[in-house]
Amino acid sequence: MTGDPPGQGETGSAGYRRPPAATRFVKGQSGNPRGRPSGRHRQLPYDTVLGQMVTVREDGRERRVTAAEAFLLQLTRKGLAGDSAAARASLDAIETARAARRARLVQPSRLRVVLMSFGVGTALQHLGMATKRNRLDEKRVRWELKPWIVEAALARMAPRQLDIAQQQEVWANTHRPETVRWPEWWVWRGSGGQGEG
């Protein structure tokens, strides 16, 4: 017994506990066909918040840093003051940042380039990876690698290392090699020889 007046059944008039037939739920069909509205349970905007610039005071001087840097500075101060939980948190944050930086340096970017010129040197110049030397003498063109591409290539090769002759070759073909952040195992430092700094 459904409680409907005799003869009314499922298709009868609408009323208390009897919605109109057109709006009733249909078996096997979602009651919310468009789904949950987008942005309802959005992730917190960590990048936006931590990327904001804030002013910090150190030794009586003010300077502007990102909120992430200010947070890390505060954790480090507490850790140095003896707060072991803050020390662990700051060391974890530093290690996470280092791992992310290594991952960015090691992973090749997905770049598709179509060049309408000939020669490896010209391609490297278009990509901003090399600088053309001896521009006036077309017969004796020399290309030098940009410092950033040398750093990225060396980061990708770890743990493999270059011998002295290979280091000399890379140094000689790098544009402004003194600006490169050479890895710890690198010993060649230009015409002064090896082991300088």
Side-chain angles (χ1 to χ4, degrees), residues 3-4 6-7 9 20 28 30 38 84 89 103 106 140 146 148 151 158 168 175-176 178 193 195:
D4 288 334
S30 171
S38 63
S84 60
V106 171
R140 294 175 34 195
K146 295 273 182 106
W148 72 267
E151 289 173 9
Q168 287 174 333
H175 181 68
R176 295 179 33 220
E178 66 279 357

Side-chain angles (χ1 to χ4, degrees), residues 163-174 186 188 190 193-194:
D163 61 32
I164 296 297
Q166 292 169 329
Q167 289 181 25
Q168 287 174 333
E169 187 71 27
V170 171
W171 182 282
N173 291 293
T174 300
W186 190 273
W188 181 259
Q194 48 184 332

Side-chain angles (χ1 to χ4, degrees), residues 29-111:
Q29 181 179 349
S30 171
N32 186 8
R34 287 183 285 178
R36 177 183 290 170
S38 63
R40 185 163 172 208
H41 293 288
R42 191 179 303 162
Q43 294 289 330
L44 291 174
Y46 292 112
D47 292 336
T48 304
V49 172
L50 294 176
Q52 291 179 355
M53 297 301 287
V54 296
T55 303
V56 295
R57 182 181 300 272
E58 289 180 323
D59 300 325
R61 293 170 45 193
E62 290 184 350
R63 66 183 182 112
R64 305 268 300 159
V65 297
T66 63
E69 289 176 85
F71 180 71
L72 190 57
L73 285 170
Q74 184 66 17
L75 270 178
T76 305
R77 273 194 207 107
K78 284 184 174 184
L80 292 172
D83 185 342
S84 60
R88 281 192 303 274
S90 62
L91 290 174
D92 288 345
I94 291 168
E95 187 54 40
T96 302
R98 283 182 179 163
R101 184 173 184 271
R102 279 193 299 267
R104 281 194 308 270
L105 289 175
V106 171
Q107 291 184 359
S109 59
R110 299 189 188 284
L111 178 67

